[in-house]
Amino acid sequence: MKLSTRFTASLLSASALGALAGAQETLDFTIDAVASQGLVSGVTPIGPVNGTPPDYGLSGTVGVVLDGVPGSSPSSVSLSGTGGAIVAPDISAEIPNFNPAAPPFAIITITNLAFSFSSPAAAVDPGGSFQTQVTTTVVSGTVTIDASGLTSIIDIAGFSSQPEAFAGSVVVTGTDTRISGQYSGTFQIFDPVAMVAADLNFAGTLAADFAAAAPTVFCSSNANSTGAVGAIGSAGTTSFTAADLVLEASNLPTNAFVLFLASDTTDFVPNFGTSQGNLCLGGTIFRIDNVQNSGQSGAASIPAPFTITPGAAFDIGETWYFQAWYRDSVGGSATSNTTDALEVVFAP
């Protein structure tokens, strides 16, 4: 296949693709509200803080970063500090009076409360278990303290706990991934009006899931010499653990040379160079492995190159775009054409 000079300069060998990889991406895991339950408690110099009721649930999202090598379960995990774990219902607690017949010393109400969780990267053992230290930070929240007829309102957004032990697990099942573990975070609250100080502790289970999106086709292609429009698709999954993604091109002329291309950027260049096709990829464009042949079926396929260099060509959570470029002829003159393009988000 004859390549234009401008385009050839950006078509590097497959090994160069690995040089771009390495930027770890944050995945938004959806918190399992049924499994993510917790308890609130606390202490003050004048007595305990009792939640009424003491239990709460979490919903929303939590940011997770996973790393590993293709064909194996994730080998490291961290919580990125992004997302928002929403606490419901609103927290109501009291500091009881020494005299059970007397009103409480203080009523504490916390509304619009949401957390984020962050941790350093921790090794995941072959069974999926890991140990780390998690810092709980208040994304939003307002504390109202009523004590002896005095009311104070405190915005606690930005308050952070000290790092606390977190024993967790990462389980990959097909293209679905679940992270879970036990967390605890203590926040120091001080009311300068009523001179009430309290250490409030939130502890419970954090369980969240990531479901991989199926690859999606985008962009447009032009009819080739067969009258059909070249199409790209895939077999297998986007799972890094399975490492079984296969790129497929169909509706091609028979016995045509085919190149599969990849980029982490999109573009649209109609009839690029002398081609009859549209280039749907942008930025630096990479050639995947060797030239294929469409044979008598007018189709070609190639495994996605998960292990191009030591390390991975594509990282967990990254979005990559693929397209097939193939030889064709119009009126007996050699030319080339392209399929449409495929967007892939690589799942754990």
Side-chain angles (χ1 to χ4, degrees):
M1 182 186 297
K2 183 178 180 180
L3 311 179
S4 69
T5 302
R6 183 178 75 85
F7 199 51
T8 304
S10 64
L11 279 173
L12 306 182
S13 68
S15 62
L17 185 53
L20 273 188
Q24 295 179 327
E25 300 291 330
T26 298
L27 297 174
D28 290 326
F29 277 58
T30 301
I31 295 173
D32 181 343
V34 175
S36 299
Q37 301 293 315
L39 296 174
V40 61
S41 60
V43 295
T44 73
I46 56 176
V49 177
N50 297 329
T52 54
D55 55 323
Y56 63 89
L58 295 178
S59 61
T61 62
V62 59
V64 179
V65 177
L66 296 167
D67 197 12
V69 297
S72 300
S73 298
S75 59
S76 74
V77 60
S78 64
L79 303 182
S80 68
T82 60
I86 301 168
V87 174
D90 288 338
I91 302 298
S92 180
E94 63 180 35
I95 304 173
N97 201 299
F98 299 129
N99 179 0
F105 283 125
I107 301 293
I108 301 173
T109 304
I110 308 176
T111 57
N112 192 35
L113 183 60
F115 298 134
S116 67
F117 301 98
S118 60
S119 73
V124 180
D125 69 24
S129 298
F130 66 93
Q131 302 277 343
T132 189
Q133 298 283 316
V134 169
T135 299
T136 306
T137 300
V138 178
V139 176
S140 65
T142 301
V143 175
T144 302
I145 302 176
D146 293 309
S148 303
L150 300 174
T151 300
S152 294
I153 298 176
I154 306 168
D155 182 0
I156 59 171
F159 282 35
S160 291
S161 72
Q162 294 297 313
E164 299 281 353
F166 185 98
S169 65
V170 177
V171 178
V172 178
T173 305
T175 55
D176 296 333
T177 307
R178 185 175 182 88
I179 182 172
S180 60
Q182 302 295 316
Y183 71 93
S184 178
T186 299
F187 304 94
Q188 296 181 335
I189 308 298
F190 177 69
D191 174 8
V193 176
M195 301 300 290
V196 173
D199 288 343
L200 299 180
N201 179 261
F202 295 82
T205 299
L206 173 65
D209 301 291
F210 178 81
T216 56
V217 174
F218 69 99
C219 201
S220 62
S221 54
N222 299 324
N224 55 44
S225 59
T226 70
V229 174
I232 193 169
S234 65
T237 70
T238 61
S239 168
F240 222 62
T241 299
D244 61 352
L245 181 67
V246 176
L247 302 173
E248 300 178 327
S250 58
N251 299 338
L252 310 179
T254 58
N255 299 312
F257 292 124
V258 185
L259 278 175
F260 284 90
L261 310 176
S263 177
D264 60 359
T265 305
T266 64
D267 200 351
F268 184 76
V269 183
N271 303 116
F272 64 100
T274 59
S275 174
Q276 300 297 304
N278 303 322
L279 181 62
C280 303
L281 311 184
T284 302
I285 300 171
F286 302 91
R287 174 171 63 87
I288 297 177
D289 205 12
N290 298 317
V291 176
Q292 308 297 304
N293 192 289
S294 64
Q296 290 299 308
S297 65
S301 64
I302 192 170
F306 283 91
T307 53
I308 294 173
T309 62
F314 313 118
D315 278 340
I316 296 172
E318 285 189 340
T319 301
W320 282 83
Y321 308 95
F322 302 94
Q323 189 172 22
W325 184 21
Y326 57 92
R327 174 174 285 180
D328 199 4
S329 63
V330 175
S333 298
T335 185
S336 67
N337 208 325
T338 57
T339 63
D340 46 17
L342 192 70
E343 177 181 327
V344 173
V345 179
F346 286 98

